[in-house]
Amino acid sequence: MGNVAVVGAQWGDEGKGKIVDWLSQRADVVVRFQGGHNAGHTLVIDGVTYKLSLLPSGVVRPGKLSIIGSGVVIDPWALIEEIETLRAQGIELTPDNLRIAENATLILPLHSRLDKVREEARGSARLGTTGRGIGPAYEDKAARRAVRVCDLADQRTLEDRIDQLLFHHNALLRGMGAEEIDRDRLLSNLNGIAPKVLAFAEPVWQRLDEARGAGKRILFEGAQGAMLDVDHGTYPFVTSSNTLAGHAAVGAGVGYGALDYALGITKAYTTRVGAGPFPTELDDEIGRGLGERGREFGTVTGRRRRCGWFDAVLVRQAVKVGGIDGIALTKIDVLDGLKTLKICIEYRYRGVGYSHLPAAEEIQAGVTPVYETLEGWSDTTRGARSWADLPAAAIAYIRRIEKLIKAPVALLSTSPEREDTILVHDPFLN
């Protein structure tokens, strides 16, 4: 039995929530290891929809321990609101089944204020951030002036941290003509939320070490996708953390040897939300149709996602850079009824062919996709739970994807429902 890291292999929104939920029945512990509440996961279980942003997808399963690692940036008010929302839906969340890293960085109102002001100042050059303060919080973490969960337990430390932060942030806000942050109000709000957050806080690395020692299976859950990784994504149109499986060990607080299998979640087509390059984007009836059938709206922001054909070049690069062992292919049912399908197999830029997406921003924005055309299928794949239920053309499409991205399909998702999943290879049995 091994431990599995689940990561996105495109630009996020690949359906990680359902896959993590489905895999969590085989796991004992589920750990979220990076990102913030800009990432959304939607779970549909017995017709009930659960929308998660910060909480690991395993929280909806009884008897599982869920952990938010130190690699996550946490908005304490958003966290408590999410906990209370799930409780209202009948999900039990207590310190017995949810723990938060005491050394995780907090997102404060000043972070979202700065995020929105800077994005507005960029005008047409906006990055497409959610405005929730994720980037500024990671900036403060790297600059060693962040407020962390453990600081909520010590008033003197908390006040010192806030003073350091406001010295920096209020100067930036003044410079951009924005309203400054009131120190006393911020401290009062933090002191009000502190007991609710601290009830879940602990050194989770110890908890994970104990779990490993007891032979328990751990599922590491990532947010966003490989092409939004701050190092390996379509920079600067990226998130502010490392989204690849290799970061799971750091963001959770375990040794690198704890990761046994990296599962990359991949849609049967491609989507992207916000700004940035998108070689296979379809600004036509087919693209709009994919968006409508796939319900391509952001879980957190509600923004419409851009849609396009499957990009094998992009996913192959994510497989190689991210050390992905196998993929979970999702939303194959959205392609039902299309007479022909296309897969991007190469890029062209100024007469030069590329088998990868170069790092240069100008080339990323200017590449033209080279397509291979495959036969579509008229029968439905929705709700299929075995290969025998799939049309022959759908199987041929899946096999072609496997060959092009150089990774096998371990799981196939045929609807948002938990049980509409075909298991090809159990990642825990690697």
Side-chain angles (χ1 to χ4, degrees), residues 208-421:
L208 289 168
D209 183 61
E210 292 169 2
R212 290 185 65 198
K216 294 184 177 181
R217 284 170 287 183
I218 304 171
L219 185 61
F220 299 91
E221 177 183 7
Q224 289 96 28
M227 289 300 124
L228 291 175
D229 184 274
V230 69
D231 286 314
H232 300 284
T234 49
Y235 191 92
F237 302 97
V238 294
T239 193
S240 298
S241 61
N242 289 108
T243 63
L244 304 182
H247 191 69
V250 178
V254 297
Y256 68 90
L259 306 180
D260 299 299
Y261 190 98
L263 180 69
I265 316 302
T266 309
K267 275 179 184 165
Y269 50 101
T270 310
T271 65
R272 177 165 200 168
V273 66
F278 187 168
T280 66
E281 183 173 11
L282 294 171
D283 187 19
D284 59 13
E285 185 178 343
I286 294 177
R288 289 188 290 274
L290 292 173
E292 291 170 4
R293 290 194 299 276
R295 298 180 181 179
E296 296 297 352
F297 298 91
T299 300
V300 172
T301 64
R303 290 186 293 180
R304 183 184 295 274
R305 297 175 186 139
R306 302 151 63 190
C307 299
W309 294 120
F310 186 86
D311 191 334
V313 179
L314 204 72
V315 176
R316 182 172 62 241
Q317 186 167 328
V319 167
K320 298 300 182 182
V321 172
I324 291 173
D325 297 294
I327 67 167
L329 192 65
T330 66
K331 293 199 170 185
I332 188 74
D333 55 298
V334 176
L335 301 180
D336 290 353
L338 292 176
K339 293 182 179 180
T340 58
L341 303 170
K342 293 184 179 181
I343 297 177
C344 176
I345 58 173
E346 185 186 34
Y347 301 137
R348 301 288 295 180
Y349 180 74
R350 294 183 177 177
V352 178
Y354 289 89
S355 60
H356 69 287
L357 186 62
E361 184 178 354
E362 180 183 358
I363 300 178
Q364 289 184 350
V367 295
T368 299
V370 177
Y371 288 116
E372 179 179 297
T373 301
L374 287 82
E375 179 185 357
W377 53 89
S378 57
D379 295 334
T380 183
T381 63
R382 189 174 180 84
R385 298 184 181 182
S386 72
W387 285 105
D389 297 331
L390 297 174
I395 295 175
Y397 181 75
I398 295 166
R399 294 306 185 201
R400 185 57 180 153
I401 285 176
E402 288 180 313
K403 185 173 182 179
L404 288 169
I405 68 172
K406 301 185 185 303
V409 170
L411 287 154
L412 183 68
S413 172
T414 59
S415 95
E417 286 286 349
R418 173 188 278 173
E419 299 306 323
D420 290 342
T421 306

Side-chain angles (χ1 to χ4, degrees), residues 24-333:
S24 64
Q25 66 184 315
R26 293 164 167 74
D28 302 297
V29 183
V30 183
V31 189
R32 172 79 183 275
F33 64 83
Q34 50 79 220
H37 66 309
N38 57 337
H41 293 162
T42 299
L43 308 180
V44 181
I45 301 168
D46 297 329
V48 179
T49 299
Y50 302 94
K51 294 187 176 182
L52 309 177
S53 295
L54 274 168
L55 295 172
S57 298
V59 296
V60 298
R61 284 192 181 270
K64 308 296 179 181
L65 175 62
S66 294
I67 289 177
I68 298 177
S70 60
V72 178
V73 286
I74 300 171
D75 181 320
W77 296 278
L79 172 67
I80 298 304
E81 181 181 0
E82 189 173 334
I83 289 173
E84 292 174 349
T85 297
L86 285 180
R87 282 174 174 167
Q89 290 185 281
I91 302 298
E92 182 180 2
L93 287 170
T94 71
D96 291 329
N97 64 354
L98 174 65
R99 306 304 293 174
I100 301 170
E102 63 179 4
N103 55 331
T105 293
L106 293 180
I107 301 173
L108 306 179
L110 55 88
H111 294 123
S112 58
R113 174 85 61 82
L114 181 61
D115 206 356
K116 292 173 183 176
V117 169
R118 290 198 303 202
E119 188 75 341
E120 185 176 346
R122 291 187 181 105
S124 61
R126 293 181 182 182
L127 298 178
T129 73
T130 60
R132 293 174 179 250
I134 311 300
Y138 274 116
E139 290 174 32
D140 284 337
K141 178 180 180 178
R144 296 166 293 182
R145 56 174 173 258
V147 176
R148 303 191 297 174
V149 171
C150 56
D151 298 331
L152 297 175
D154 187 310
Q155 187 66 24
R156 178 176 295 181
T157 299
L158 181 60
E159 291 185 9
D160 288 344
R161 295 285 191 200
I162 291 298
D163 288 339
Q164 291 178 44
L165 273 179
L166 293 185
F167 177 78
H168 175 78
H169 281 268
N170 276 342
L172 291 174
L173 292 170
R174 275 197 307 274
M176 291 185 285
E179 183 182 355
E180 297 181 31
I181 300 294
D182 183 271
R183 176 185 186 273
D184 293 339
R185 183 185 304 169
L186 176 57
L187 278 170
S188 176
N189 290 339
L190 280 171
N191 285 327
I193 200 75
K196 296 180 180 180
V197 176
L198 289 171
F200 297 96
E202 71 173 12
V204 299
W205 64 268
Q206 289 183 333
R207 178 84 61 164
L208 289 168
D209 183 61
E210 292 169 2
R212 290 185 65 198
K216 294 184 177 181
R217 284 170 287 183
I218 304 171
L219 185 61
F220 299 91
E221 177 183 7
Q224 289 96 28
M227 289 300 124
L228 291 175
D229 184 274
V230 69
D231 286 314
H232 300 284
T234 49
Y235 191 92
F237 302 97
V238 294
T239 193
S240 298
S241 61
N242 289 108
T243 63
L244 304 182
H247 191 69
V250 178
V254 297
Y256 68 90
L259 306 180
D260 299 299
Y261 190 98
L263 180 69
I265 316 302
T266 309
K267 275 179 184 165
Y269 50 101
T270 310
T271 65
R272 177 165 200 168
V273 66
F278 187 168
T280 66
E281 183 173 11
L282 294 171
D283 187 19
D284 59 13
E285 185 178 343
I286 294 177
R288 289 188 290 274
L290 292 173
E292 291 170 4
R293 290 194 299 276
R295 298 180 181 179
E296 296 297 352
F297 298 91
T299 300
V300 172
T301 64
R303 290 186 293 180
R304 183 184 295 274
R305 297 175 186 139
R306 302 151 63 190
C307 299
W309 294 120
F310 186 86
D311 191 334
V313 179
L314 204 72
V315 176
R316 182 172 62 241
Q317 186 167 328
V319 167
K320 298 300 182 182
V321 172
I324 291 173
D325 297 294
I327 67 167
L329 192 65
T330 66
K331 293 199 170 185
I332 188 74
D333 55 298

